[in-house]
């Protein structure tokens, strides 16, 4: 059974665990394309309020298109690490009944070659959740030291060939700037070629660079602490994760 096959069942179990009810104040910390927000709004039944967060501008466009007419829906063009700040501004600090996180990259982000998240198709080497802010993967790879790249690949991707890949990337950029996902894949394959593997040889490196570029684990640690702070007495927090680093 694939990850996508698990999601409908997992969502139902998660929502049951959150105990969402009419009149509740809820947070969808990872709006994505609105699947979880739709389920939460259904349980709220037109009452209460749902605050949804996402720093991806495409997610914001979907949010307003799908739920902009709902009076009990609020979308925040912000990372979930701003939970405390936003909830205080909205007057719901320490009054949230349910907070839901669904971590990782959404399918639409992976499917859009322009975002640069996927090694399966060629596109600009970006990888930013919010392409309006911060440093792209291409820019980082232009200046990061070999040691820094190796550390990122090992720490965030648990890539056993981290040092060899880092060395190959530094050598490759001396010949030509790494600007596309295909270029990155080709450099990784030059190091990783060998017997057929269970996962694509570039999987761990792409994951590691994405996590680093978006500061995902640091922001998650901040957000989890803040989520507990904004919850009302008896409030509940649920996190959906398929990643061992996030789990830890």
């Amino acid at each position: 059974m694939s990850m996508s096959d698990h999601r409908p069942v997992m969502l139902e179990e998660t929502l049951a665990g959150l105990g969402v009810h009419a009149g509740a104040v809820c947070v969808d910390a990872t709006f994505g394309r609105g699947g979880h927000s739709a389920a939460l709004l259904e349980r709220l039944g037109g009452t209460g309020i749902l605050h949804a967060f996402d720093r991806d501008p495409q997610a914001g466009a979907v949010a307003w298109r799908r739920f902009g007419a709902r009076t009990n829906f609020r979308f925040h063009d912000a990372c979930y690490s701003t939970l405390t700040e936003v909830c205080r501004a909205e007057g719901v600090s320490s009054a949230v009944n349910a907070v839901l996180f669904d971590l990782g990259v959404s399918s639409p982000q992976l499917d859009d070659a322009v975002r640069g998240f996927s090694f399966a198709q060629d596109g600009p080497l970006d990888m930013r959740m919010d392409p309006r802010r911060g440093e792209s993967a291409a820019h980082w790879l232009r200046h990061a030291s070999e040691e820094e790249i190796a550390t990122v690949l090992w720490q965030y991707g648990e890539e056993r060939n981290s040092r060899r890949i880092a060395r190959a990337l530094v050598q490759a950029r001396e010949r030509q700037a790494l600007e596309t996902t295909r270029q990155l894949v080709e450099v990784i394959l030059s190091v990783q070629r060998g017997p057929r593997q269970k996962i694509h040889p570039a999987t761990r490196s792409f994951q590691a660079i994405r996590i680093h570029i978006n500061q995902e684990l640091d922001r998650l640690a901040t957000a989890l602490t803040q989520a507990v702070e904004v919850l009302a007495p008896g409030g509940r927090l649920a996190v959906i994760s398929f990643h061992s680093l996030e789990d830890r």
Side-chain angles (χ1 to χ4, degrees):
M1 184 177 288
S2 69
M3 185 184 300
S4 60
D5 295 326
H6 284 291
R7 282 196 181 273
V9 175
M10 186 174 293
L11 175 58
E12 290 303 316
E13 293 176 345
T14 301
L15 292 175
L18 283 172
V20 178
H21 55 81
V25 177
C26 300
V27 168
D28 180 357
T30 47
F31 178 83
R33 294 303 180 264
H36 292 167
S37 283
L40 289 165
L41 286 166
E42 182 179 352
R43 281 162 174 75
L44 290 175
T47 63
I49 191 167
L50 173 63
H51 293 276
F53 290 71
D54 209 300
R55 51 179 164 161
D56 183 341
Q58 293 180 3
V62 173
W64 293 118
R65 185 169 65 249
R66 291 190 65 179
F67 309 120
R70 295 184 181 243
T71 57
N72 66 332
F73 177 76
R74 305 284 187 276
F75 181 79
H76 304 285
D77 179 16
C79 180
Y80 48 51
S81 58
T82 63
L83 264 173
T84 298
E85 176 186 347
V86 172
C87 287
R88 186 182 296 120
E90 292 288 334
V92 295
S93 185
S94 301
V96 176
N97 303 111
V99 179
L100 172 60
F101 291 82
D102 184 12
L103 305 176
V105 182
S106 67
S107 294
Q109 288 172 322
L110 286 172
D111 293 340
D112 186 354
V114 174
R115 303 300 299 274
F117 288 113
S118 176
F119 50 77
Q121 49 190 334
D122 194 24
L125 191 53
D126 195 312
M127 297 196 191
R128 288 173 293 177
M129 295 289 187
D130 183 352
R132 300 166 298 182
R133 302 180 178 94
E135 184 177 48
S136 70
H139 187 272
W140 177 69
L141 285 171
R142 280 201 292 271
H143 68 78
S145 68
E146 180 179 325
E147 182 178 357
E148 182 183 0
I149 296 170
T151 299
V152 165
L153 298 183
W154 172 250
Q155 184 175 353
Y156 297 139
E158 299 177 320
E159 173 54 66
R160 287 177 294 181
N161 289 315
S162 58
R163 293 191 179 279
R164 293 176 60 205
I165 294 173
R167 189 175 307 116
L169 288 170
V170 170
Q171 292 172 348
R173 77 186 183 192
E174 291 175 354
R175 298 188 296 270
Q176 182 181 13
L178 300 172
E179 300 288 350
T180 70
T181 54
R182 179 173 294 169
Q183 286 176 295
L184 178 56
V185 169
E186 288 175 351
V187 174
I188 295 169
L189 288 177
S190 72
V191 175
Q192 297 275 58
R193 291 192 188 280
R196 184 179 179 85
Q197 303 176 33
K198 290 183 179 180
I199 62 173
H200 190 283
T203 301
R204 297 183 188 278
S205 295
F206 267 69
Q207 168 193 290
I209 295 171
R210 187 205 81 221
I211 289 174
H212 172 73
I213 291 298
N214 294 288
Q215 302 177 314
E216 292 178 35
L217 296 184
D218 290 340
R219 291 176 186 269
L220 176 60
T222 298
L224 290 174
T225 300
Q226 293 185 4
V228 174
E229 293 172 353
V230 304
L231 284 172
R236 298 183 181 186
L237 164 66
V239 182
I240 298 174
S241 171
F242 295 92
H243 193 292
S244 60
L245 293 177
E246 294 167 347
D247 293 342
R248 290 200 293 270

